[in-house]
Amino acid sequence: MEKPARSHPRPLAEVLRKTLTDAFAKQGFAAVELVTRWPEIVGAEIAAHSQPEKIQWPRTPQARNAPAPGTLLLRVEGPAALEIQHLSGVILERVNQFFGWQAVGSVRLRQAPLSRRAAPRPRPASDPAAMARIAATLPEIKDEKLRQALARLGAAMEQG
């Protein structure tokens, strides 16, 4: 009788990568990063008023090796639509620079509210007394920065 294969813990990012890649591929995204790194790609000002929804690829295959450029469908807040339309050339340039080839040939806008991510909660301030008490229990750690980092971690864990 064979032993069952052992399961080793894997990073969550590794587990989710295939699922996310498949989900984004259904929307025409060749790279998940176009969505996840949108502010880095187009800049904070454009990203504040737009979100990529999908890339529509042409149905007719290209005869050459390079596929025909697709159409990037952007969700845009109503008041910003005109400005984003004027910036479509900049958006095309930045997206294609990100891909490293002319992946997108045009931009189409869809006016709709953006799905906003919740703002990250600010971290509570560490208790200086708890940090000093924990740091005092770590005399064997010679690196002062490491000792302080561990003291901050310990104090944060105590706060809960």
Side-chain angles (χ1 to χ4, degrees):
M1 187 165 168
E2 281 186 44
K3 289 184 180 180
R6 290 188 62 190
S7 175
H8 298 287
R10 295 185 308 184
L12 183 59
E14 182 182 314
V15 174
L16 291 177
R17 183 172 290 119
K18 175 147 178 43
T19 303
L20 289 175
T21 301
D22 291 346
F24 281 106
K26 287 180 183 176
Q27 294 301 317
F29 291 113
V32 174
E33 289 84 14
L34 183 64
V35 175
T36 60
R37 295 177 55 194
W38 183 244
E40 294 173 47
I41 295 168
V42 296
E45 184 64 33
I46 293 172
H49 302 289
S50 66
Q51 291 175 328
E53 283 198 342
K54 66 179 172 179
I55 297 178
Q56 295 175 323
W57 300 100
R59 294 183 190 266
T60 56
Q62 284 289 94
R64 298 174 294 193
N65 293 340
T71 300
L72 175 62
L73 179 61
L74 288 181
R75 179 185 301 199
V76 180
E77 293 177 319
L82 186 59
E83 183 178 348
I84 298 294
Q85 182 68 44
H86 286 296
L87 293 170
S88 63
V90 173
I91 294 169
L92 283 173
E93 180 181 323
R94 291 177 182 175
V95 168
N96 288 329
Q97 183 178 9
F98 170 75
F99 280 119
W101 60 286
Q102 189 177 355
V104 179
S106 62
V107 175
R108 208 172 84 214
L109 305 181
R110 186 177 141 236
Q111 289 187 357
L114 300 182
S115 57
R116 301 278 183 196
R117 292 187 187 108
R121 293 183 300 174
R123 288 187 277 165
S126 296
D127 179 15
M131 285 177 46
R133 180 178 39 79
I134 293 170
T137 65
L138 304 169
E140 65 278 357
I141 298 177
K142 302 298 180 207
D143 185 345
E144 182 62 28
K145 288 182 180 181
L146 178 58
R147 184 174 34 255
Q148 292 303 317
L150 290 171
R152 279 192 308 276
L153 176 62
M157 289 176 68
E158 282 182 354
Q159 285 179 342

